[in-house]
């Protein structure tokens, strides 16, 4: 309230003055135009729709060029977001255009994965810009802004109602991006059915609380045309890069056996309305809405999650430095608390490990003592057997010596007897 009062007071203190001559600040708009023309512009479009619904063809028709997109199949395992950036130039104005295509959208059995990948991609671009803003040394003047400025949501021309996937996806995205619903391949449905289909789509969007992008009517220069165009939503479009000769001129059209559908004929489709509203009239508003509404909402939620607030409990203003110091103290306190918990846990685990090691040591010591006793017992037994064996060997040696002595004596006795016999025999002769 205090800041508002100060602002009002400053406004009342502003005094209108008349100048006596030319100063030159009336050239400020020209300076802005010259600067913007030199820097160029960027614009990012997200095309969401099922495979084969005509997303790439419509982009080629919108910007009157060929973006050389590869064809996609219906057998993608998951949704892929393919972003391609192009440098376009018209007159002396340069435009860095990024077209993001959802490859495989709605082709999976689990439809929840289809929109989740899109939401993650949009949030990732917001996060990238936020991180660039939070840097100490920023370079936003030459930063490639990849935030999505416009989302063209392609609706299949069924003539009945929106699919559940369409409603869920748009509901998840309406707070993150400017959604412009378009009925693709509008030449496949009659005019009466198309009118009823548009009414049905808008009724379902309102009843389900889906907030689509409304062309601004606060600017009196475009209020009338935007009010009219808001009543034509969703736009029924036809895309084609082929040219057909109608009368004496070549026009972009789709030729059928029963006739020709002219892309730029407003009685055939709403392509011209879409191009005028998207590019010629409201492109800058789409860029501004992306920054001031969708990005600011993401930034605010992100900073609030981090604990940053503008006011304290007493609704008094809080500076970023105070919030930072508070969060820093909380973080340090939490860090010390966790360190103490980890230290206590470490000490407890060390004690438990020491107890386990002591138990294991006692167990190993018991096993060692047991093995030592077994070893001693075995050694005693071995010594006893060794003594017995030595005794047996000693007895055997004694018996062996006695046997050898007896044998020697017997041998000596036999030799003596033989000698006696020999003597007797020689004396008898």
């Amino acid at each position: 309230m205090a800041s508002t009062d100060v602002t009002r007071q400053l406004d009342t203190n502003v005094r209108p003055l008349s100048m006596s001559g030319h100063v030159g600040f009336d050239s400020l708009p020209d300076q802005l135009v010259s600067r913007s023309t030199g820097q160029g512009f960027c614009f990012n479009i997200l095309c969401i729709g099922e495979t084969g619904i005509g997303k790439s063809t419509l982009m080629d028709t919108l910007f009157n060029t060929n973006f050389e997109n590869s064809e996609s199949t219906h057998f993608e395992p998951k949704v892929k977001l393919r972003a391609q950036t192009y440098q376009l130039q018209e007159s002396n104005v340069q435009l860095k255009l990024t077209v993001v295509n959802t490859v495989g959208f709605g082709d999976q059995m689990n439809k929840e994965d289809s929109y989740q990948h899109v939401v993650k991609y949009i949030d990732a671009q917001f996060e990238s810009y936020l991180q660039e803003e939070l840097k100490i040394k920023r370079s936003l003047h030459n930063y490639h802004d990849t935030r999505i400025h416009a989302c063209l949501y392609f609706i299949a021309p069924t003539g009945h109602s929106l699919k559940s996937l369409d409603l869920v996806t748009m509901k998840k995205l309406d707070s993150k991006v400017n959604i412009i619903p378009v009925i693709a391949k509008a030449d496949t449905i009659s005019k009466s059915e198309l009118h009823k289909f548009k009414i049905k789509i808008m009724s379902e969007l309102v009843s389900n609380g889906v907030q689509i992008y409304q062309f601004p009517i606060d600017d009196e220069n475009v209020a009338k045309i935007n009010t009219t165009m808001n009543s034509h939503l969703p736009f029924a479009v036809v895309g084609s890069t082929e040219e057909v000769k109608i009368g004496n001129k070549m026009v972009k059209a789709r030729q059928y056996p029963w006739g020709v559908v002219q892309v730029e004929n407003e009685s055939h489709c709403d392509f011209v309305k879409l191009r005028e509203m998207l590019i010629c009239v409201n492109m800058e508003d789409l860029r501004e809405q992306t920054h001031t509404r969708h990005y600011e909402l993401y930034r605010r939620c992100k900073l609030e999650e981090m604990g940053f607030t503008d006011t304290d409990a007493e609704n008094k203003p809080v500076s970023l430095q105070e919030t930072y110091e508070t969060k820093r103290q909380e973080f340090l306190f939490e860090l010390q608390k966790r360190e103490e918990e980890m230290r206590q846990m470490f000490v407890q685990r060390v004690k438990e490990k020491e107890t386990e090691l002591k138990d294991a040591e006692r167990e190993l010591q018991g096993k060692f003592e047991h093995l030592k006793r077994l070893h001693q017992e075995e050694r005693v037994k071995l010594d006893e057997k060794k003594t017995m064996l030595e005794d047996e060997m000693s007895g055997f040696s004694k018996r062996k010596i006695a046997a050898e002595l007896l044998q020697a004596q017997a041998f000596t006795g036999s030799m003596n007897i033989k000698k006696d016999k020999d003597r007797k025999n020689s004396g008898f002769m």
Side-chain angles (χ1 to χ4, degrees), residues 126-140 142-143:
F126 285 152
E127 182 64 24
S128 178
Y129 191 87
L130 178 60
Q131 292 301 321
E132 184 65 27
E133 272 193 334
L134 296 177
K135 286 182 178 179
I136 297 176
K137 185 179 181 180
R138 301 184 298 180
S139 57
L140 292 175
N142 59 0
Y143 173 75

Side-chain angles (χ1 to χ4, degrees), residues 301-310 323-324 326-327 330:
C301 294
K302 197 71 175 179
L303 292 178
E304 286 177 352
E305 289 179 3
M306 297 169 63
F308 291 95
T309 57
D310 294 330
T323 305
Y324 171 75
T326 303
K327 297 301 294 182
E330 291 178 358

Side-chain angles (χ1 to χ4, degrees), residues 263-398:
V263 173
E264 296 180 336
N265 189 333
E266 294 192 46
S267 63
H268 290 184
C269 69
D270 297 332
F271 173 78
V272 174
K273 296 183 178 66
L274 173 64
R275 184 177 61 188
E276 292 292 320
M277 292 296 98
L278 182 66
I279 300 175
C280 301
V281 179
N282 298 301
M283 178 180 282
E284 185 58 31
D285 183 73
L286 288 165
R287 285 158 41 89
E288 183 181 354
Q289 286 290 322
T290 299
H291 182 78
T292 60
R293 181 188 169 193
H294 301 298
Y295 170 70
E296 284 299 321
L297 176 61
Y298 176 85
R299 176 179 173 275
R300 185 183 69 199
C301 294
K302 197 71 175 179
L303 292 178
E304 286 177 352
E305 289 179 3
M306 297 169 63
F308 291 95
T309 57
D310 294 330
T311 57
D312 58 11
E314 299 177 357
N315 204 25
K316 293 182 179 180
V318 179
S319 67
L320 181 63
Q321 181 67 24
E322 293 176 355
T323 305
Y324 171 75
E325 289 297 333
T326 303
K327 297 301 294 182
R328 181 172 178 272
Q329 294 300 325
E330 291 178 358
F331 175 76
L332 291 176
F333 176 76
E334 184 67 22
L335 182 61
Q336 292 175 356
K337 182 179 177 182
R338 294 186 63 181
E339 286 181 352
E340 182 63 23
E341 290 177 353
M342 292 180 66
R343 191 183 68 81
Q344 293 294 337
M345 186 181 298
F346 177 75
V347 171
Q348 182 65 25
R349 288 186 177 180
V350 168
K351 290 181 179 179
E352 292 176 356
K353 197 66 177 178
E354 287 179 350
T355 304
E356 292 178 2
L357 291 174
K358 288 180 180 179
D359 293 340
E361 184 180 1
R362 285 194 295 268
E363 184 178 355
L364 289 174
Q365 187 65 29
K367 290 182 178 180
F368 174 75
E369 295 294 336
H370 177 68
L371 292 174
K372 187 176 180 181
R373 287 194 301 271
L374 292 178
H375 174 70
Q376 291 177 351
E377 293 176 357
E378 292 292 332
R379 187 170 182 178
V380 171
K381 292 180 180 179
L382 185 62
D383 291 339
E384 292 177 353
K385 290 183 178 180
K386 182 179 178 182
T387 303
M388 293 175 60
L389 182 60
E390 289 177 351
D391 293 342
E392 291 180 357
M393 290 177 64
S394 177
F396 177 77
S397 298
K398 290 179 179 179

Side-chain angles (χ1 to χ4, degrees), residues 37-217:
T37 303
Q39 291 179 348
F41 302 87
C42 73
F43 191 65
N44 307 318
I45 300 178
L46 171 64
C47 299
I48 302 179
E50 60 189 41
T51 305
I53 204 170
K55 302 185 293 294
S56 300
T57 303
L58 183 64
M59 288 296 101
D60 292 343
T61 313
L62 270 176
F63 293 94
N64 196 23
T65 186
N66 182 13
F67 291 116
E68 300 179 354
N69 292 310
S70 58
E71 294 185 0
S72 304
T73 66
H74 289 277
F75 304 102
E76 295 290 341
K78 64 179 182 179
V79 177
K80 298 178 182 177
L81 280 89
R82 182 184 300 160
Q84 293 178 305
T85 303
Y86 308 92
Q87 192 75 34
L88 305 180
Q89 182 169 351
E90 189 174 29
S91 298
N92 63 335
V93 179
Q94 292 184 352
L95 177 67
K96 181 180 288 187
L97 176 68
T98 300
V99 179
V100 184
N101 193 7
T102 53
V103 180
F105 181 81
D107 291 337
Q108 294 75 32
M109 293 294 292
N110 186 0
K111 302 300 182 183
E112 185 178 359
D113 292 340
S114 296
Y115 70 82
Q116 283 184 346
H117 287 84
V118 180
V119 172
K120 290 179 181 178
Y121 178 84
I122 296 174
D123 286 343
Q125 311 318 307
F126 285 152
E127 182 64 24
S128 178
Y129 191 87
L130 178 60
Q131 292 301 321
E132 184 65 27
E133 272 193 334
L134 296 177
K135 286 182 178 179
I136 297 176
K137 185 179 181 180
R138 301 184 298 180
S139 57
L140 292 175
H141 61 282
N142 59 0
Y143 173 75
H144 182 202
D145 187 4
T146 58
R147 295 173 297 177
I148 300 299
H149 300 122
C151 171
L152 295 182
Y153 197 97
F154 289 74
I155 301 171
T158 60
H160 299 289
S161 61
L162 290 171
K163 298 178 182 178
S164 299
L165 177 60
D166 297 332
L167 287 171
V168 172
T169 303
M170 283 192 276
K171 185 61 179 175
K172 293 289 184 181
L173 296 179
D174 62 357
S175 62
K176 299 178 179 293
V177 71
N178 301 312
I179 300 176
I180 302 176
V182 294
I183 301 174
K185 297 184 177 181
D187 53 342
T188 62
I189 187 173
S190 65
K191 282 193 174 182
S192 59
E193 291 177 338
L194 183 60
H195 180 68
K196 294 178 182 178
F197 191 35
K198 284 187 175 185
I199 297 175
K200 180 69 173 176
I201 289 173
M202 293 305 296
S203 175
E204 290 183 347
L205 292 177
V206 172
S207 61
N208 287 276
V210 178
Q211 300 292 327
I212 64 173
Y213 175 74
Q214 295 290 322
F215 302 118
I217 58 176

